[in-house]
Every structure is written in structure tokens, then in C-alpha cells.
Amino acid sequence: MTTELSFFEQVNKNFDRAAALTDHPPGLLEQIKSVNSVIHFTFPLKRDDGRLQVVHAWRAEHSQHKLPTKGGIRYAASVNEDEVMALAALMTYKCAIVNVPFGGAKGGVRISAHEYSVGELERITRRFTFELNKKNFIGPGLDVPAPDFATSGREMAWIADTYMSLNPHDIDGLGCVTAKPVGQGGIRGRVEATGRGVFFGLREACTVVEDMRALGLSPGLEGKRVVVQGLGNVGYHAAKFLTEDGGAILVGAVEYEGAISKPDGIDVEELMAHRRATGTMLGFPGAVDLPSREAGLELDCDILVPAALENAITIDNAPRIKAKIVAEAANGPVSSDASNHLFERGVLVIPDAYINAGGVTVSYFEWLKNLQHVRFGRMQKRFVEASSRKILAAIERSTDRIFSDAEIADIARGPSEIDLVNSGLEETMIEAYHEIREIWRAKGSGIDLRTASMIAAIDKIAVSYRELGVFP
Ligand code: NAD
């Protein structure tokens, strides 16, 4: 096993590579790179069997150049301070890349969530929130968590409830956390947002004829062979949208228990149903069980989507990766050395800070909804519908064209919340892709898309610091 840099060192190495291609003063670059605040705390948990356990937890706020800071909370046995700082830094760069006006943060609790009962997880989450509140590390204008590995809307609802009990006079209290269930102030489309963003980002990358030609691929997602690692929230939704909306073919899937391959395509819903029924992906009808998880990553395919955890691809297995495009749906799934290796081999690595930014983008919409106290579309849906019907009627009167009921229903439809969320997400992913691609192209062939996206982030954050008057 090759020893590589720590996760945070890798993020900083990527930062330094990009920073060297900018002309910002060293002090400003150092400020952008630094983690502003990080806390590590412990608290006791009474397990269901009466044992007492000390739980370790962290929250890092990487950059407060914009407030609130924003970032998920993960529950994993591997959580440590370095990881939380790295993920918080990635959040800062991610928000800048997709023009979401937040600083970056990340939290983690060092537990294997599946070893705890629901009641224990609730006690951990509520106590974690209590500690964050006590230390001023949570609040709609301060720091706003979201889900990450092994957390979901359920934990977010516990966080919101705890925060609001502790801050009953905060009228914007619901905005203290995002990805809440819709009935608890959440927004439609948030659950699937990261996976949908991966789809929009990949679809956009695949439309650029010149880039596809350089990879030896035809333009468009249709028919592209995809392998997904980790069929959790991000991986499942990415696989679903890539196949159902994009026409891609899922030829392989990798999970905890192993990997499967099916060159003629895996139906994502059928695979999930099989896994729910049998407890494993293995033995999926028509598919071949591979000898190891690693073999799944190394399958012959056009697009590899690592959507589990960091360091899935290191310098050890990078030479065996056959995909032409690697979309970093997880955070940090390709180590720094592996990323260089893939770049030298001509593989297009679409960086995490861009491709998985759909979650934070829709979290931003949810936070705005919570501050506005009104659902998107509520004010204009009926008005837009009525105006569109008037326009159609005017067209009918002045031409021979008579619209069918189905056409009228389709054209004269006022936007609902989900329409606006998905459209805002699509626009964000498309716009950001071309921003970073332009830098990538302008800097010549010597840099990869990760470096280009980091340059985009650094330039935007530098503008913020300058506008704050902190730097000349
Ligand atoms: P999740 O817990 O819903 O899913 C993770 C999946 O990966 C699980 O199904 C798990 O069984 C699987 N897995 C774990 N180890 C594996 C291994 N070694 N091989 C194969 N599969 C493995 O988590 P998630 O929310 O989907 O997050 C996944 C990644 O995406 C994380 O890196 C997270 O930071 C990143 N991310 C998540 C979001 C979000 O909105 N949830 C947003 C941006 C980035």
C-alpha cells in the first residue's frame, strides 16, 4: 500500500497547484486556505444496554468569508479532524464554484451508524446539536449543516427540532439545517439533488464535442457505459438519472458486499429491490458477481462514478482504471497522486467540488425558502397559468391554430416548487461547468479540470475578501 498525503494535505496540494497559476498575494491565498475554526468535543452516550460510551465529534468552519457556513454531517468510524477540515475546505471551494453564497463547513461523528439503534442515533444527534448550539456552531446565519455519509432527512429533522427548542425566538430557526423532510421545512427535490446534479454535470461535459473527441467518445450520454460505486443517496440517484433520463447504460455496480457486472445494462430499481429483498447486490439475475469490490472499479466502461467515500482510487489501483471519464460524486474519491496519473493518461476527472455540488445548491434553495417562509411557486403558479392561457387564446384567435387540451395543459403550466428547484439546479450545473471549462481551456493542456475549478474558486473567494476590505 502506497503511503499518500492526508486528505487535508491532498486538498491543500490541489489548492497550491491552482494558487500558483493565479496572481493573488501569498497572504490572501494563505487566508483562503486556512480553516477558520474547528472544534472537537466528546459527550457521553448511554447505550440501550446501559453501557456508557464516549462519542467523539467535530465541526470545522473552513471559511467565513460568506455566512452562513455550510456543510454536511457524516457518521462514520473513520471520522477524524483532518477529514473534517478537508471536507470543510472542499465545501468552501464547492460553494464558490457553483456560485452559492456560503462559506464551507463540515461535521462528523465517529460512529458506525449501523451499529446503533434508531433511539441511540437520535440521542447522539440531539446531543451533537446541543453542543453545536452551545458553542455557536449552528444557526441560520452562522453555520447550517446538511446530510452526508450515513445521515439523512431523519437526522436533519432531529437537528432542526433540537435547535428550535433551544432558540424558540429565532423566527428563521428552520433555516438552521437543510435537507429536512418536506413536512419539516424541507424542499422538494433535495433528497435526489446531488445525484441529479451529477447527471446534469456529466450530461453537460458529454455535450462538448471537442472534449469527447479527445477522449475517443461520441458526444452525448446516450449509450455511455457507466459503473457506479456506492448505491447510497448520491450513487443511487446518479445511476437512476443517468440511465432513466440520460440513456446511459449501467454496466457495473459496487457496494460494501462486492461488485457486479452486466454489460447489457442493470435496471437500477430492480437492483435496489433485489438488494432490499436479499440484503446484497450479489446474485442479481443476469449479472456476474465479480471477485472483489476493486474489480468493479476496474471494469471496462466509459464513465466511472465513485459515490461512496474518499480514496476509492489511489495510485495503487489508478493504473487499472479503464474509464475515460471519472465523475467524483463522493468527496475526495480520487487521491491527489491518482488524479495526476489519470490526467497523464488522458482520463477526464470531473472534480468533486463541481460534480457533487447539486446537494449544496438545492440546500441553498431550501435555506432561502426557510428565510422567506413561503414555498417557491406559491405566489406565481396560478398567475403564470392564467397569463399563459390568455396568450394561447390570443394565438388561437389570430391564427387557425386550435390547441388541444393536452397542449394547453402542457404549455400553460405554472411552475411548482419541484420545477423551480430542478430548473435552478440544472442552470447552476450548466453555468458552472462552462465557467471552469473556460479556465481549463484558457490555461492550456497542462492543467486538469480540478485545477481549473480550484482557480475559479480562488478567484471568486479572493474578490470577496477584497470587497470585505481585508486585503487590498
Ligand atoms: P450514503 O451513506 O447514502 O451512501 C454511501 C454508500 O456507499 C452506501 O450505500 C454504502 O454502503 C456504500 N459504501 C460504503 N463503503 C463502500 C465501499 N468501500 N465500496 C462500495 N460501496 C461502499 O452517503 P451519501 O450521502 O450518498 O454520500 C456518499 C458520498 O457523497 C460521500 O463522500 C459524501 O461526502 C458525498 N456527498 C454527499 C452529498 C449528499 O447530498 N448526500 C452531497 C455531496 C457529496
Side-chain angles (χ1 to χ4, degrees):
M1 185 73 175
T2 315
T3 314
E4 294 206 53
L5 301 172
S6 79
F7 192 6
F8 190 42
E9 285 168 339
Q10 296 194 36
V11 173
N12 284 339
K13 190 173 165 187
N14 293 332
F15 179 95
D16 290 340
R17 188 182 303 135
L21 298 169
T22 69
D23 51 12
H24 303 296
L28 173 53
L29 291 167
E30 193 57 32
Q31 173 58 39
I32 295 174
K33 195 164 89 167
S34 306
V35 178
N36 290 176
S37 320
V38 55
I39 45 164
H40 169 210
F41 50 93
T42 56
F43 52 84
L45 167 74
K46 192 169 184 186
R47 302 288 307 254
D48 290 344
D49 62 9
R51 276 181 302 140
L52 266 186
Q53 183 192 329
V54 176
V55 176
H56 288 256
W58 286 263
R59 182 82 181 164
E61 291 176 353
H62 172 258
S63 179
Q64 289 140 338
H65 72 289
K66 287 197 189 292
L67 287 172
T69 54
K70 189 89 187 71
I73 291 179
R74 65 167 53 171
Y75 289 175
S78 54
V79 165
N80 59 55
E81 192 157 308
D82 180 90
E83 178 182 274
V84 171
M85 292 197 302
L87 291 163
L90 275 177
M91 282 304 296
T92 297
Y93 308 135
K94 188 179 301 183
C95 290
I97 288 165
V98 290
N99 302 308
V100 164
F102 292 144
K106 202 77 178 193
V109 180
R110 188 188 283 164
I111 54 163
S112 282
H114 59 267
E115 291 169 6
Y116 293 80
S117 69
V118 174
E120 288 171 338
L121 289 171
E122 179 170 0
R123 292 203 289 284
I124 291 170
T125 307
R126 288 187 183 278
R127 178 64 189 258
F128 181 57
T129 311
F130 184 87
E131 295 294 333
L132 291 177
N133 184 70
K134 200 166 72 178
K135 296 169 170 72
N136 262 341
F137 269 74
I138 187 169
L142 275 182
D143 187 353
V144 180
D148 195 81
F149 192 86
T151 58
S152 65
R154 180 183 67 180
E155 285 75 15
M156 303 307 115
W158 291 332
I159 292 174
D161 184 54
T162 309
Y163 177 83
M164 289 195 297
S165 323
L166 294 168
N167 301 275
H169 302 296
D170 186 348
I171 191 172
D172 295 324
L174 270 178
C176 74
V177 66
T178 58
K180 302 176 290 289
V182 173
Q184 306 297 320
I187 197 165
R188 288 161 188 81
R190 174 59 182 89
V191 172
E192 63 271 34
T194 307
R196 196 187 283 277
V198 170
F199 158 61
F200 285 143
L202 267 169
R203 190 190 63 186
E204 204 50 31
C206 289
T207 58
V208 187
V209 178
E210 177 192 345
D211 297 350
M212 291 303 107
R213 195 178 298 131
L215 295 169
L217 295 172
S218 57
L221 263 182
E222 184 82 33
K224 294 259 181 316
R225 297 164 306 146
V226 179
V227 171
V228 175
Q229 179 217 27
L231 288 169
N233 177 298
V234 178
Y236 158 69
H237 286 108
K240 177 181 165 67
F241 296 122
L242 285 167
T243 53
E244 288 178 9
D245 295 1
I249 305 165
L250 185 68
V251 295
V254 190
E255 253 295 340
Y256 255 136
E257 62 271 17
I260 60 167
S261 143
K262 191 167 180 288
D264 62 347
I266 297 166
D267 182 295
V268 183
E269 297 306 337
E270 282 175 17
L271 177 62
M272 298 306 282
H274 169 82
R275 190 167 189 245
R276 269 193 303 275
T278 64
T280 172
M281 273 189 341
L282 302 175
F284 181 64
V288 174
D289 292 344
L290 298 175
S292 65
R293 290 192 298 227
E294 292 68 31
L297 295 172
E298 295 162 17
L299 275 171
D300 188 16
C301 64
D302 300 315
I303 303 174
L304 174 62
V305 182
L309 279 176
E310 51 269 16
N311 285 328
I313 302 168
T314 65
I315 198 63
D316 294 318
N317 61 350
R320 295 190 298 276
I321 298 297
K322 297 188 189 66
K324 308 257 177 45
I325 301 175
V326 176
E328 293 189 315
N331 283 309
V334 181
S335 75
S336 184
D337 290 349
S339 197
N340 291 341
H341 170 90
L342 293 172
F343 174 62
E344 278 159 21
R345 272 182 41 209
V347 176
L348 176 64
V349 177
I350 307 185
D352 43 8
Y354 162 71
I355 198 76
N356 70 31
V360 74
T361 302
V362 175
S363 275
Y364 169 48
F365 300 157
E366 178 178 332
W367 179 78
L368 290 173
K369 172 186 180 180
N370 295 151
L371 300 194
Q372 289 173 177
H373 301 264
V374 63
R375 168 171 47 81
F376 289 109
R378 178 171 172 177
M379 308 283 282
Q380 65 267 54
K381 187 172 183 355
R382 199 156 283 273
F383 180 80
V384 171
E385 250 167 49
S387 318
S388 308
R389 278 174 188 274
K390 280 182 200 158
I391 294 169
L392 291 178
I395 294 172
E396 283 183 339
R397 280 195 303 276
S398 54
T399 65
D400 291 339
R401 181 82 158 82
I402 300 295
F403 295 104
S404 68
D405 288 349
E407 281 175 320
I408 293 173
D410 185 37
I411 300 168
R413 197 166 64 88
S416 63
E417 180 173 86
I418 188 74
D419 295 326
L420 293 168
V421 164
N422 289 342
S423 156
L425 173 60
E426 184 172 11
E427 170 63 13
T428 301
M429 295 304 294
I430 292 174
E431 186 188 62
Y433 187 73
H434 291 286
E435 274 182 22
I436 59 177
R437 188 179 175 278
E438 248 172 57
I439 296 175
W440 183 38
R441 285 293 150 212
K443 295 281 178 194
S445 55
I447 72 163
D448 57 5
L449 204 55
R450 186 191 312 284
T451 308
S453 66
M454 192 65 103
I455 292 173
I458 293 172
D459 285 347
K460 292 179 200 176
I461 300 165
V463 169
S464 291
Y465 273 115
R466 289 206 161 102
E467 284 172 356
L468 286 171
V470 181
F471 288 88

